[in-house]
Amino acid sequence: MVTQTADVLTDTENPSPRPAAYALAGPRGTGPPVRGVEVIASDLVKTYGATEALRLDRLNVAPGEAVGLVGNNGAGKTTLLRLVLDLIRPTAGSVTLDGMVVSQTTAWKPRVSAFLDPSFLIGYLRPGELFRLVGGSYGLSAAKADRCAEAYADFLGPTVAKPGVVVRDLSRGNAGKVGSVAALLCRPDLLVLDEPFANLDPGARIHLEGLLRAERERGATVLVSSHDLDNVVDVCTRVLVMADGRVVRDTPAEPGTLAELRAFFARGGRDA
């Protein structure tokens, strides 16, 4: 049972308070709306030795925006996401989440969830055990985490649900689905995903598009990188094209955006 007092929800099965954004909702976004997190990068630079991996003078992502990062390998997409999550530290500049500098406080963490790569998974756990572990870190009881995960059963598919299957036994596609669901489980105010459509079959891609659109419609801020232009345009409200560590295009996701992006990359990532 979940009770709400002002801006705090308390799970009576596990009475640690958590922000109201974590009201449990089905994967179609049927829960109460939330205020997404504002993301600001200012004078952001990341270098590795003599190599400059990223340089952004200013990037603003408004609360509730769904922003897709596209670009060739080495463009700086993953570097940007890792800086947003304070997984790496900038050489210069800063990232703030709702005004909090991510490298100076952990107060933003209960509102944010992410899945970037298999290192976020624990291979010897069964998927359900992983969901309980992640849910527990956001204040969900094991029973509540189980019920939340069940809402994603159609997306996860029967292989993930087989008795005795552990994460390391799954294909890359199924492991990716587990990672995406672990990130979605807590209903974050900011959701960060790196290449979530990679290795998914067509049906799973379509299903994931729906799940991410539901998060956007719920009011969450979504940052997602992908090489799949059609998926990004279908899910996002804004697309950032990155090259050589910089944003070279910043465009709304509109009916003609996919054709423009295809033409852009067909020219080798250069404007005509």
Side-chain angles (χ1 to χ4, degrees), residues 16-42:
S16 60
R18 62 190 191 280
Y22 299 101
L24 303 181
R28 301 305 300 172
T30 56
V34 300
R35 183 187 185 278
V37 173
E38 179 183 50
V39 182
I40 298 177
S42 303

Side-chain angles (χ1 to χ4, degrees), residues 1-204:
M1 179 179 180
V2 175
T3 58
Q4 182 170 352
T5 304
D7 291 330
V8 172
L9 287 174
T10 300
D11 183 345
T12 56
E13 298 169 356
N14 185 354
S16 60
R18 62 190 191 280
Y22 299 101
L24 303 181
R28 301 305 300 172
T30 56
V34 300
R35 183 187 185 278
V37 173
E38 179 183 50
V39 182
I40 298 177
S42 303
D43 300 318
L44 191 63
V45 178
K46 180 61 180 177
T47 60
Y48 295 96
T51 301
E52 186 174 87
L54 187 80
R55 178 176 292 273
L56 297 177
D57 294 333
R58 182 81 175 182
L59 174 64
N60 288 55
V61 178
E65 271 197 300
V67 177
L69 308 178
V70 299
N72 294 323
N73 291 331
K77 305 183 297 299
T78 299
T79 298
L80 175 56
L81 298 182
R82 288 186 171 277
L83 287 164
V84 167
L85 296 169
D86 194 37
L87 295 175
I88 57 175
R89 292 290 171 87
T91 305
S94 65
V95 175
T96 63
L97 301 181
D98 271 357
M100 297 176 281
V101 179
V102 297
S103 61
Q104 296 178 3
T105 179
T106 61
W108 52 272
K109 290 187 176 183
R111 300 181 62 200
V112 178
S113 67
F115 176 62
L116 300 191
D117 60 50
S119 70
F120 281 54
L121 303 174
I122 301 176
Y124 62 80
L125 293 181
R126 293 190 294 271
E129 293 172 331
L130 179 69
F131 297 148
R132 288 183 175 190
L133 179 65
V134 172
S137 71
Y138 288 93
L140 301 184
S141 67
K144 192 68 69 177
D146 289 346
R147 291 198 291 273
C148 290
E150 181 61 28
Y152 299 95
D154 288 345
F155 172 61
L156 289 169
T159 300
V160 173
K162 285 182 178 179
V165 169
V166 296
V167 171
R168 65 169 172 260
D169 294 334
L170 297 172
S171 67
R172 289 184 180 181
N174 281 325
K177 288 193 282 187
V178 169
S180 292
V181 168
L184 288 161
L185 199 67
C186 69
R187 293 316 210 180
D189 296 344
L190 170 61
L191 175 66
V192 182
L193 299 174
D194 193 6
E195 294 287 350
F197 299 100
N199 303 303
L200 297 186
D201 59 44

Side-chain angles (χ1 to χ4, degrees), residues 228-243:
D228 300 295
L229 301 177
D230 52 345
N231 297 128
V232 168
V233 172
D234 284 344
V235 166
C236 296
T237 55
R238 177 181 171 195
V239 180
L240 304 181
V241 180
M242 298 190 68

